[in-house]
């Protein structure tokens, strides 16, 4: 007998570690989604910065279909053509010489942190193991990455956290200077904090970290899981800043909706990962790699990257207008198509309320913390669709305001 799942089924069958919205989207195309009742929504969430080319983009569909008729999975006992093509493309388009493929952001960061520790261990010694990270940062949910992340609520209650990890204040170079010394093996930073509130790093901060890492022979890891793959208007945000990391992690939009991650580095650092040091069953899976290759090739085209700025501008103009109308934001910030609008004190921490009202008005969007609305739409969203979605947000804000 056929069964149509409902939102209540989530509470019945799934662990209660999420609290999804009431509607269940069943189909997507470009920047639009439809729910079980056929109701249409504009998508400003992009699966939390994943659907860089929107839903069911023809180029990604073609790549997935073509590969699905060849080979789905091999494991790393064998290599495969799509993985090699993807790795070559990433090397050609970035600072990196070598790529480790995996299936998620946390896996890419776990690999990066392990690589940094092993590199320091092998080239200097065991004492050089300290990792410096920043408060409010987010690097994933494995126990190592959650401990390195700067939001203690995610690592509390799980037993002793791994040692040798310290947290400075984001965009405060002095606080980093106090922590970084010759025992530091790595500094990990998001060039733009995503989960932590959509906060771009200042050029002085990121340049200062580069210099401190050079002075103390520590590796600089850029976590570009959320802000990478075109979101900043460059293929990777490090290109915007002109600051080259030693290790870069990528995921989310890399697979355009197919679970993919990558850790990239130089030949010199990569050499310490010898056979057996690290691995992942699904890393470099042919289906994912074929889709990611199509995503990277499409997103890195000048048309797509140039288009990000025009779209970003359109979002900002609308947000300014909403602020003039409702006096609700204290700050509108971000870069490219990762934008945040922080509510002012009089509006308060009502992000979840606005999210629910927006869904009712036909708009899917995100928050980053209780008081920041976050926008991470498709990089190719049409300008008219932005206008349409912003009209929904306007009505959603009016509703929330009317509730007092
Ligand atoms: C900057 C950053 N790093 C790492 C992660 C973890 O990625 P994943 O959820 O794919 O493990 C995220 C996820 O939101 C992220 O934003």
């Amino acid at each position: 007998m056929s069964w149509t799942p409902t939102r209540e089924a989530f509470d019945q069958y799934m662990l209660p570690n999420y609290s999804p919205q009431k509607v269940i989207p069943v189909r997507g195309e470009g920047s639009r989604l439809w729910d079980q009742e056929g109701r249409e929504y504009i998508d400003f969430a992009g699966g939390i910065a994943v659907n860089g080319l929107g839903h069911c983009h023809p180029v990604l569909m073609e790549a997935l279909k073509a590969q699905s008729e060849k080979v789905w999975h091999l494991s790393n006992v064998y290599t495969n053509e799509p993985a090699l093509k993807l790795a070559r493309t990433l090397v050609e388009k970035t600072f990196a010489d070598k790529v480790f493929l995996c299936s998620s952001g946390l896996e890419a960061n776990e690999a990066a942190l392990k690589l940094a520790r092993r590199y320091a261990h092998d080239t200097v010694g065991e004492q050089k193991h300290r990792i410096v990270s920043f408060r409010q940062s987010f690097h994933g949910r494995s126990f190592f990455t959650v401990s390195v992340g700067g939001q203690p609520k995610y690592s509390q209650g799980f037993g002793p956290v791994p040692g040798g990890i310290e947290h400075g204040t984001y965009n405060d170079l002095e606080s980093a200077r106090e922590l970084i010394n010759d025992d530091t093996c790595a500094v990990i930073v998001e060039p733009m904090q995503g989960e932590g509130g959509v906060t771009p790093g200042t050029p002085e901060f990121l340049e200062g970290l580069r210099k401190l890492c050079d002075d103390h022979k520590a590796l600089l890891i850029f976590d570009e899981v959320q802000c990478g793959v075109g979101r900043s208007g460059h293929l990777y945000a490090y290109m915007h800043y002109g600051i080259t990391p030693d290790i870069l992690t990528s995921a989310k939009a890399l697979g355009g909706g197919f679970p993919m991650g990558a850790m990239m580095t130089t030949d010199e650092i990569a050499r310490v990962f010898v056979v057996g040091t690290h691995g992942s069953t699904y890393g470099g899976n042919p289906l994912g790699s074929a889709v990611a290759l199509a995503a990277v090739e499409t997103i890195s085209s000048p048309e797509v990257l140039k288009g990000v700025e025009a779209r970003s501008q359109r979002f900002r103009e609308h947000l300014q207008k909403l602020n003039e109308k409702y006096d609700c934001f204290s700050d509108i910030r971000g870069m490219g198509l990762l934008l945040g609008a922080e509510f002012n004190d009089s509006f308060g921490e009502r992000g979840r309320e606005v999210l629910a009202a927006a869904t009712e008005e036909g708009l899917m969007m995100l928050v980053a913390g209780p008081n920041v609305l976050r926008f991470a739409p498709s990089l190719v969203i049409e300008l008219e669709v932005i206008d349409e979605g912003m009209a929904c947000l306007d009505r959603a804000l009016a509703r929330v305001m009317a509730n007092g």
Side-chain angles (χ1 to χ4, degrees):
M1 221 174 57
S2 81
W3 174 65
T4 305
T6 60
R7 171 62 179 78
E8 287 68 41
F10 181 91
D11 296 332
Q12 188 172 356
Y13 298 113
M14 309 277 274
L15 265 80
N17 59 318
Y18 300 116
S19 171
Q21 297 288 315
K22 288 197 187 82
V23 297
I24 301 183
V26 291
R27 189 167 68 82
E29 198 183 313
S31 289
R32 294 179 196 272
L33 282 160
W34 288 267
D35 71 12
Q36 292 166 306
E37 270 74 53
R39 197 165 167 231
E40 188 176 311
Y41 301 84
I42 306 275
D43 185 6
F44 280 179
I48 317 191
V50 166
N51 303 102
L53 292 170
H55 299 277
C56 296
H57 189 282
V59 172
L60 303 192
M61 298 272 286
E62 180 48 39
L64 184 66
K65 280 186 190 156
Q67 188 58 40
S68 74
E69 287 168 9
K70 293 180 187 164
V71 62
W72 287 30
H73 183 73
L74 288 164
S75 87
N76 288 296
V77 176
Y78 307 92
T79 190
N80 68 78
E81 291 185 359
L84 295 173
K85 286 182 186 168
L86 173 62
R88 179 174 185 250
T89 300
L90 289 172
V91 164
E92 283 175 352
K93 290 184 183 291
T94 68
F95 74 97
D97 306 312
K98 291 282 192 287
V99 178
F100 169 79
L101 294 175
C102 52
S103 318
S104 66
L106 85 81
E107 256 192 286
N109 283 329
E110 187 87 18
L113 296 164
K114 283 177 70 181
L115 179 65
R117 280 228 169 130
R118 181 55 72 97
Y119 181 72
H121 175 276
D122 290 4
T123 56
V124 180
E126 206 142 296
Q127 80 284 1
K128 192 172 176 67
H129 69 270
R130 293 173 61 252
I131 293 166
V132 173
S133 170
F134 297 94
R135 281 184 274 282
Q136 296 301 118
S137 67
F138 186 79
H139 300 298
R141 299 283 200 147
S142 69
F143 201 41
F144 194 10
T145 56
V146 100
S147 310
V148 170
Q151 304 190 45
K153 64 181 180 205
Y154 294 137
S155 56
Q156 279 161 0
F158 295 104
V161 294
I165 301 167
E166 284 154 308
H167 297 94
T169 304
Y170 193 68
N171 275 341
D172 177 349
L173 193 57
E174 274 320 300
S175 96
R177 201 187 306 280
E178 280 165 22
L179 297 176
I180 300 170
N181 60 36
D182 289 348
D183 290 341
T184 306
C185 71
V187 174
I188 181 166
V189 66
E190 295 163 79
M192 167 157 55
Q193 284 193 337
E195 300 299 308
V198 192
T199 311
T202 63
E204 306 72 50
F205 177 62
L206 297 174
E207 274 159 22
L209 291 184
R210 178 68 277 176
K211 171 116 193 4
L212 285 167
C213 284
D214 291 343
D215 292 349
H216 295 283
K217 296 198 168 24
L219 300 182
L220 181 61
I221 304 172
F222 273 5
D223 177 345
E224 294 220 23
V225 168
Q226 188 155 158
C227 66
V229 196
R231 209 144 275 288
S232 66
H234 295 258
L235 181 58
Y236 285 102
Y238 83 84
M239 297 165 178
H240 163 81
Y241 288 99
I243 300 162
T244 306
D246 301 296
I247 301 178
L248 182 138
T249 56
S250 184
K252 289 194 181 270
L254 181 63
F258 201 102
M260 275 300 294
M263 190 255 311
M264 304 174 225
T265 189
T266 60
D267 275 328
E268 159 61 16
I269 299 163
R271 72 187 162 82
V272 302
F273 262 19
V274 296
V275 175
T277 327
H278 191 65
S280 161
T281 294
Y282 289 115
N285 164 278
L287 277 178
S289 299
V291 178
L293 176 64
V296 170
E297 280 178 341
T298 307
I299 289 173
S300 61
S301 70
E303 306 88 84
V304 172
L305 291 178
K306 273 202 201 112
V308 168
E309 203 34 55
R311 289 163 172 80
S312 178
Q313 212 37 51
R314 190 71 148 236
F315 267 96
R316 284 175 183 272
E317 283 161 16
H318 277 292
L319 290 169
Q320 302 285 10
K321 278 192 200 136
L322 289 176
N323 204 20
E324 281 158 27
K325 187 165 172 186
Y326 296 110
D327 186 22
C328 50
F329 303 132
S330 60
D331 193 19
I332 296 165
R333 57 179 180 253
M335 205 195 298
L337 282 173
L338 184 55
L339 295 167
E342 182 168 345
F343 291 128
N344 56 25
D345 289 342
S346 62
F347 194 85
E349 301 197 333
R350 301 171 76 180
R352 296 280 307 175
E353 219 182 305
V354 175
L355 215 63
T359 312
E360 284 178 24
E361 292 297 340
L363 174 67
M364 295 193 168
M365 51 175 306
L366 301 166
V367 289
N371 62 343
V372 179
L373 289 182
R374 176 171 35 159
F375 304 83
S378 155
L379 305 178
V380 293
I381 186 171
E382 298 83 356
L383 294 176
E384 314 78 73
V385 180
I386 299 177
D387 300 343
E388 236 182 285
M390 281 296 181
C392 301
L393 179 58
D394 188 340
R395 294 194 300 272
L397 286 171
R399 247 182 210 243
V400 172
M401 288 284 201
N403 288 344

